[in-house]
Amino acid sequence: MSSRPTVLERALRHLLEVESTTGQYASRLLEVGHFNTVVSSLKKRYQIDVQREWRRLTNRHGQDYNCKVYWLAPEDRQKAAETLAALEAKRLGLTSGKPA
């Protein structure tokens, strides 16, 4: 049984693959309306604490703008990886257990 990864799976994979990401980029990449809602779901359902803060960045046209940046703290990366593995296994029918 193969299906498309869930939003939470895609979010965890993205956060594990990058050092940090902006909310706008992650929303576009993951095809979700608001990445902050996904981050809140990860905290509420799996106690994965995604760090976030407002930063002032410069776009490719040299204009400054404010955006929220998200990242996993080093101490949260292992739990995120274990949760991702459990969610993927459950989706693929490899286990019926709960995520870590």
Side-chain angles (χ1 to χ4, degrees), residues 21-41:
T21 188
T22 66
Q24 182 181 18
Y25 178 74
S27 292
R28 192 171 47 243
L29 180 71
L30 303 173
E31 300 173 354
V32 297
H34 301 283
F35 187 61
N36 60 321
T37 303
V38 176
V39 167
S40 295
S41 293

Side-chain angles (χ1 to χ4, degrees), residues 1 9 83-97:
M1 171 177 148
E9 288 174 71
T83 302
L84 174 59
L87 288 171
E88 288 175 334
K90 186 174 180 182
R91 176 176 50 84
L92 296 172
L94 302 175
T95 182
S96 60

Side-chain angles (χ1 to χ4, degrees), residues 2-20:
S2 181
S3 62
R4 180 180 173 157
T6 66
V7 170
L8 295 179
E9 288 174 71
R10 295 191 323 261
L12 284 170
R13 179 162 307 286
H14 178 60
L15 287 164
L16 287 164
E17 290 175 347
V18 298
E19 187 173 315
S20 65

